[in-house]
Every structure is written in C-alpha cells, then in structure tokens.
Amino acid sequence: MANENFMYRAIELARGGEGKTNPNPLVGAVIVKDGRIIGEGFHHAYGQLHAEREALKNCAERGENPQGATIYVTLEPCCHFGRQPPCTHALVEAGISRVVVGSRDPNPLVQGKGNAYLREQGISVEEDFLRDECDSLNPIFFHYITKKTPFIALKYAMTLDGKIATRTGESKWITSEESRDYVHLLRNRYAGILVGIGTVLADDPMLNCRLVNEKGEPTGRNPVRIICDSDLKIPLLSKIVKTAEKIPTILVSCKDGRSEDDEKIYIEKKAVLESSGLEVLEVPGANLLKESGEGSKKPKPQVDLNVLMKILGEKGIDSLLIEGGSEIHYSALKSGIVNKIYVFVAPKIFGGAGKTPVGGEGVNLPDEAFNFQLEKVSRFGDDVFLEYKK
C-alpha cells in the first residue's frame, strides 16, 4: 500500500520551487526502499533537473541503490524531450519498480503517456494518490498548459466597511505588516504583476518582490511589471521607469482613440520609454468608458484585456497578480479573466466616500454578480485573509 506520509513529503518538497519553475509545474519526488527514504528532490528552477532526476541524484549522493525502490511523485513523469530528457527513461534505467503518482499531467505531450510508458516497461504505476492535495500545487500550470493564457489572481486589501482608501485617497497602511509580508510571497509566486496607470500616478510603486533572508539578501523573484497605460501617461521620473533596466517592465497602451497631435506626442514618449528599458505593447481597445469630467462624452478606450492575455501567454508569462485600482479590477472581472481572488480584511472602518475594491459601472441585478467560491480562510495578526476560486 502507498504511504501518505511519503507523498506529503513530496508535496512539501515541491513548494521549494515556488517562484522559480514558471512556466513549468511545481513537482516533488521521494524514493522509498524497505520503508525508508533513500532519496528525494524537487524541480528547483525552469531549465534545471526535474524532480525525479533530482531524487535519483540524491540517492547517488547518499550512496543508496534505487534498484527495486518505489518513487512517490506529485505529477505524472514526463515522457518527452524538452529542456531536460524524459524522466520516465531515468526511472527505467535506475531500476525503479513502482511509481506512485499524485496529479495527472494535462500537457498534451504527456497526458497519460508517461504512466503508460512506465507500465509498458514492467513498472507498477498507481495513479491519483492524494490527487486533490497534489493538484493544489499547480493551478497555474494546469491553466496555462491548457489555455495558453496566464492564470489571473486579483488581490486587494480592504477595511471592514469595504474601503481600499480613505475619502482623501490615503491607503497606507490598511493591513498589518504580516499581511504586507505575505503579499511579497504572492509576488514571488506569480510571473507577472499588473496594475493600471492610476495606481502608478497615485502611489509611485516599485511593484517588486522584497523577500530577503536573515542576512538581508534578496531571495525572491521580481515579477514582470505590466502597466495598462493607454496613452503613456507614466511619469519619466517614476520608480517604474527608473528601475526598468533592472526589472522587466511592459507598458500596455491602446491603439485606438488618439488624435493626430496626441499620436505625435505618444510616438515621442514611446521612444524615450523604450530607451529607458521598457517594452511598449500596443493592444486594441475595448470597453469604451466616458471620460471623467462633468458633461464629457468623449469615449476613452481601455486595453482589451482578453487580447492582452493571449499576447502575454505567448511571451511565456503563465500567471498574473492584479494589484491595482478599482477600475482595472472591474475591467478584469468584466472580461472574465479572473481565476482567483485574494482579499485581506483589516479590522478598521473608514466610512465616508472612500474607494471600494471594484469600481466600474457595476451590475444592475444581484443575479448578474461575478461569483466565486470560498476556498480558504486564514489570519495574519488581526487581519482575515480570504481566498476564492472561480
């Protein structure tokens, strides 16, 4: 019989690759012989050894022989040549006699072929062992490998009365330091972070990952910064622009709605921004809104987020954390691209006319609401942390 403790250990190991394997999955592996672990490993980073080969390497380092052993692996072993050779071949060559698999791999290049190959070679294969627990490691990979677009998470912090800022626009700080620290774990986990230009103009953020070890050395990975900025309003002295040569940054502008004079200004600023290290993407417009201002009827184009997601997917960006502004939150929800929501709720009340997490036109009827399922509830100090899935 398979032992749950060994698979739980493989799951624990797999999490060691968070923020480094994208767009590959998180995978852990444990090799067991005569009831004891003789080797273990995980996929450390994209392009490096897969978990099974890491575990076999660990066997050699320990002076252990994997002949006749069982391997517990959180995801079906690959059977194709990519940046690494097939793990199935390595298991056969090592003399592994039994493979216990957690998740099935939806990658069309694998998708049952790995397990089938192992059986053809006389290896016993047990599938779907602690599958739900193993599946929970890789919602990003499963989405990206099948949809070819990024997995999208919306994140915001709010008060008990649903405000993300006071009536004067102040928002620092709504939540506790513990909550803010966890945000950087999320930024490390997701390949990109997306905000609207309003957030940049209001807060001048860095949008980087500030995880460090005990020595103060950076341990996290900065996500690709993506700013929806239809008319390139970003200030040249903003932190985003000044750090673009060090942190990959994409400005997403809208092709539509500019006059001849505006187009000339746009072209000149685009050249300056690109020389500063930013990439400027031009995307068709969608969801025309009215310009702010009393009596104004001039249409204001927004970036078509569905088109943008396809482009980002083609660039290998498998996941995005949307952190910015009630208007872009509404646009993302309306576009139907949101897969997950993270909400930090602080034990504070602002009252008044402070901003709410989701702006836009809103829905007309309760039945038209954007619906999500509660997945997990936890705490950071006195803050409540809620996770929802589509």
Side-chain angles (χ1 to χ4, degrees):
M1 284 182 64
N3 188 316
E4 291 186 354
N5 291 332
F6 296 135
M7 186 62 87
Y8 279 123
R9 174 58 181 161
I11 292 170
E12 179 186 6
L13 288 166
R15 296 193 186 281
E18 280 191 342
K20 303 178 186 72
T21 66
N22 311 63
N24 280 356
L26 299 173
V27 186
V30 171
I31 300 175
V32 179
K33 192 172 185 179
D34 299 326
R36 65 186 182 87
I37 295 176
I38 63 169
E40 58 183 30
F42 64 94
H43 184 34
H44 287 260
Y46 180 69
Q48 296 185 13
L49 290 178
H50 291 181
E52 298 92 328
R53 289 181 179 270
E54 280 284 355
L56 290 170
K57 185 175 109 176
N58 187 234
C59 281
E61 293 167 348
R62 296 183 182 197
E64 298 281 3
N65 183 1
Q67 183 83 31
T70 294
I71 186 169
Y72 289 77
V73 60
T74 57
L75 182 69
E76 178 182 358
C78 65
C79 54
H80 64 289
F81 285 88
R83 284 182 173 260
Q84 294 291 331
C87 290
T88 51
H89 292 188
L91 297 179
V92 172
E93 291 166 6
I96 294 291
S97 65
R98 183 165 170 258
V99 179
V100 179
V101 177
S103 297
R104 301 189 182 207
D105 193 339
N107 185 344
L109 296 174
V110 184
Q111 211 168 32
K113 300 183 185 78
N115 292 339
Y117 175 83
L118 292 171
R119 290 189 175 108
E120 289 169 4
Q121 303 305 309
I123 295 175
S124 172
V125 179
E126 180 177 347
E127 297 174 309
D128 301 333
F129 186 68
L130 295 184
R131 180 172 178 176
D132 289 345
E133 290 85 344
C134 291
D135 282 355
S136 69
L137 287 168
N138 287 303
I140 289 173
F141 172 72
F142 292 157
H143 174 91
Y144 181 68
I145 202 67
T146 54
K147 307 291 186 184
K148 307 301 181 187
T149 58
F151 180 93
I152 307 297
L154 202 64
K155 176 246 124 188
Y156 54 84
M158 68 180 189
T159 61
L160 287 177
D161 56 337
K163 300 292 194 294
I164 61 171
T166 66
R167 62 185 176 85
T168 61
E170 293 297 320
S171 60
K172 295 181 179 178
W173 294 103
I174 291 175
T175 53
S176 65
E177 189 174 347
E178 296 97 320
S179 293
R180 299 198 298 274
D181 286 345
Y182 189 75
V183 169
H184 291 284
L185 287 172
L186 293 177
R187 288 183 181 182
N188 178 63
R189 185 180 305 166
Y190 285 80
I193 181 170
L194 184 145
V195 301
I197 185 59
T199 296
V200 176
L201 295 175
D203 301 333
D204 191 22
M206 275 285 288
L207 302 178
N208 61 341
C209 176
R210 295 191 282 276
L211 294 179
V212 294
N213 59 21
E214 293 176 354
K215 297 179 181 178
E217 300 166 332
T219 58
R221 171 201 59 177
N222 287 320
V224 177
R225 301 179 302 191
I226 301 162
I227 295 93
C228 288
D229 184 5
S230 294
D231 298 313
L232 300 188
K233 293 179 180 177
I234 191 167
L236 295 178
L237 295 179
S238 65
K239 292 175 184 175
I240 294 288
V241 174
K242 292 196 302 190
T243 58
E245 290 188 344
K246 295 181 179 178
I247 304 175
T249 306
I250 299 172
L251 288 183
V252 187
S253 67
C254 190
K255 288 182 178 179
D256 311 310
R258 282 191 293 273
S259 66
E260 265 186 52
D261 289 341
D262 288 342
E263 183 68 16
K264 183 178 178 182
I265 295 170
Y266 171 90
I267 291 171
E268 291 174 352
K269 188 165 184 180
K270 179 185 176 188
V272 174
L273 290 168
E274 289 177 334
S275 69
S276 298
L278 293 93
E279 178 183 357
V280 179
L281 278 180
E282 292 187 335
V283 177
N287 303 328
L288 294 182
L289 297 178
K290 288 183 180 179
E291 279 278 7
S292 57
E294 211 172 308
S296 173
K297 294 183 180 180
K298 181 184 175 183
K300 180 182 178 182
Q302 288 183 313
V303 168
D304 188 322
L305 293 178
N306 283 293
V307 172
L308 175 60
M309 293 310 117
K310 291 178 183 177
I311 295 171
L312 296 178
E314 291 168 359
K315 287 178 170 288
I317 296 175
D318 67 353
S319 52
L320 281 181
L321 186 65
I322 299 180
E323 274 200 42
S326 61
E327 296 302 319
I328 201 163
H329 290 174
Y330 179 74
S331 295
L333 289 165
K334 188 177 180 182
S335 298
I337 63 173
V338 179
N339 306 109
K340 190 174 180 74
I341 298 181
Y342 298 108
V343 184
F344 296 87
V345 183
K348 300 174 182 177
I349 293 176
F350 286 170
K355 283 188 177 181
T356 59
V358 180
E361 298 172 337
V363 301
N364 295 318
L365 300 168
D367 286 348
E368 298 172 355
F370 308 108
N371 292 310
F372 290 81
Q373 298 177 353
L374 181 63
E375 190 174 25
K376 187 178 179 183
V377 180
S378 48
R379 288 181 61 170
F380 294 103
D382 289 332
D383 298 340
V384 177
F385 181 53
L386 307 170
E387 298 181 54
Y388 294 86
K389 65 180 180 179
K390 189 65 179 170

